[in-house]
Amino acid sequence: MHIYVDADACPVIRIVENIARKYNIETTLICDTNHMLTSDYSDVVTVSAGADAVDFKLVNLCTRDDIVVTQDYGVAAMALSKGAYAIHQSGKWYTTDNIDQMLMQRHITKCAKRASSKNHIKRHKKRSNEDNIHFAESFEKLVLLAQTKKG
């Protein structure tokens, strides 16, 4: 098992690394040249800043039973199709049961935004400590599930 993180602007990198270290799981952070990262635990892979370059690299690297951390539904869908586990930075698990609905909702939302003559800027609420706690609990449960099913 290996953990891959879509690390461009990912707010949970340190949480992932702390849990990975606890269970001695190799971890790779993948970012583009606009988000240079360093880590004392994870391998860092930097790709060019092209459209979806990080996404393609992550999907090419992950294999069955790996864990992928991403907020991109498309990346999650491709990781699931390879037999990997996938989790959003909110702590929500992507599964074969929910990914189609999530992709469809994203498509509908994009279509609605294009059709609207008003383009409002959607402000995301600031990440709270409770958000981090929820992610950490959910991520650790996923790690334990993946280890149990693998071994």
Side-chain angles (χ1 to χ4, degrees), residues 11-121:
V12 296
I13 291 170
R14 299 305 165 231
I15 297 169
V16 168
E17 288 184 321
N18 289 339
I19 293 170
R21 186 179 281 120
K22 177 179 177 180
Y23 294 98
N24 196 30
I25 302 169
E26 290 183 54
T27 302
T28 301
L29 310 176
I30 305 167
C31 61
D32 67 27
T33 54
N34 294 323
H35 300 91
M36 299 299 286
L37 297 175
T38 59
S39 173
D40 64 350
Y41 181 77
S42 302
D43 292 326
V44 177
V45 173
T46 304
V47 298
S48 359
D52 302 321
V54 169
D55 301 344
F56 291 127
K57 183 68 172 180
L58 189 152
V59 170
N60 282 329
L61 289 173
C62 81
T63 60
R64 173 171 295 287
D65 298 324
D66 289 338
I67 297 176
V68 171
V69 180
T70 183
Q71 64 180 347
D72 186 301
Y73 296 174
V75 171
M78 289 184 280
L80 289 172
S81 74
K82 293 181 83 173
Y85 299 90
I87 186 171
H88 188 275
Q89 65 193 27
S90 68
K92 181 171 181 69
W93 294 5
Y94 300 101
T95 67
T96 54
D97 293 332
N98 70 13
I99 194 65
D100 288 339
Q101 179 182 0
M102 294 169 87
L103 289 166
M104 181 56 75
Q105 186 60 48
R106 180 183 72 171
H107 174 71
I108 291 168
T109 301
K110 280 185 177 182
C111 289
K113 284 180 183 177
R114 278 191 213 116
S116 172
S117 60
K118 299 176 185 173
N119 287 321
H120 298 290
I121 297 174

